[in-house]
């Protein structure tokens, strides 16, 4: 069974940094398109950043220049480096990825990790 597990969330002060990780485990042959979403209380889930199998990245305007998405294909792990954090970045962050198990590709979601930015 394939799982995505996020880690790295926590409480940080304004201007601080956090690095989120998203590790795929189980019957994983490769992780292709990988996305980071976030959902703040009372708001819809929004796409923050994405990276495709060729390493091409895209970012929401609200995080451009502050967040960096990356991946380590050997470890089947994705990352979200978050710098210059603002209170409005407070949310539960979820990773979402297309995982190929050697037979089919399935989109999977992680369980989420809380990021809280205090002022």
């Amino acid at each position: 069974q394939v799982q995505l597990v996020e880690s790295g969330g926590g409480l940080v002060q304004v201007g601080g940094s956090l690095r989120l990780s998203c590790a795929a485990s189980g019957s994983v042959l490769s992780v292709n398109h990988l996305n980071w979403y976030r959902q703040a209380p009372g708001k819809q889930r929004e796409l923050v950043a994405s990276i495709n199998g060729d390493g091409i990245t895209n970012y929401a305007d609200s995080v451009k220049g502050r967040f960096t998405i990356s991946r380590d294909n050997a470890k089947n792990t994705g990352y979200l480096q978050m710098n210059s954090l603002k209170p409005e970045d407070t949310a539960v962050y979820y990773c979402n990825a297309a995982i190929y198990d050697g037979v089919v590709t399935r989109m999977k979601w992680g369980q989420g990790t809380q990021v809280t930015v205090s002022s």
Side-chain angles (χ1 to χ4, degrees), residues 4 9 13 19 24 32 39 41 55 63 71 77 93 99 107 119:
L4 284 177
Q13 291 188 332
R19 188 194 195 204
N32 299 315
Q39 187 165 19
V63 306
R71 60 192 299 155
T77 299
Y93 283 71
I99 298 175
M107 294 300 297
S119 55

Side-chain angles (χ1 to χ4, degrees), residues 23-74:
S25 63
S27 300
V28 179
L29 192 64
S30 64
V31 177
N32 299 315
H33 204 100
L34 188 147
N35 307 300
W36 284 97
Y37 286 80
R38 68 185 180 187
Q39 187 165 19
K43 295 188 177 181
Q44 289 190 334
R45 192 171 295 189
E46 64 170 345
L47 179 62
V48 174
S50 63
I51 184 168
N52 69 8
D54 295 325
I56 297 173
T57 59
N58 281 289
Y59 298 92
D61 288 343
S62 59
V63 306
K64 279 181 182 176
R66 300 188 298 120
F67 290 11
T68 303
I69 189 171
S70 61
R71 60 192 299 155
D72 184 332
N73 292 331

